[in-house]
Amino acid sequence: MLLPGKGHEDCRLLDAGQGMAYRFTADAPLEFNVHRHDGETVISPVQIARAKALDAIFDADVRAEWCWMWVNRGREPVRLEVKVGV
């Protein structure tokens, strides 16, 4: 359950050129991104403002710890089911 104003993050080390399948479903739209940190800079090649479901593959362009992140900007708790590396 993702409470209002809270987020969930799942991070994985990927090599350059490595792909990672992921999917999620939620009861209500969530903010979603895939990002990495480069010092104090956050690089987010995938950004979706509102999504209830997604089934995709992310291909890393550089070796880094990549993070899949969901944020509940709504006022009610949201049930979230996540599978990264499926």
Side-chain angles (χ1 to χ4, degrees), residues 4-71:
K6 299 297 181 183
H8 172 72
E9 191 172 51
D10 186 338
C11 300
R12 311 286 176 101
L13 179 62
L14 299 180
D15 289 323
Q18 182 179 356
M20 181 70 68
Y22 63 95
R23 65 177 165 226
F24 69 89
T25 58
D27 289 342
L30 298 172
E31 185 178 296
F32 171 73
N33 71 68
V34 178
H35 69 273
R36 68 178 174 88
H37 297 267
D38 185 4
E40 293 187 24
T41 303
V42 177
I43 299 163
S44 298
V46 178
Q47 294 183 20
I48 301 173
R50 293 174 51 86
K52 287 178 70 174
L54 191 60
D55 188 347
I57 297 174
F58 173 74
D59 293 311
D61 61 346
V62 298
R63 178 180 168 81
E65 182 176 57
W66 289 93
C67 298
W68 287 255
M69 185 169 186
W70 298 262
V71 179

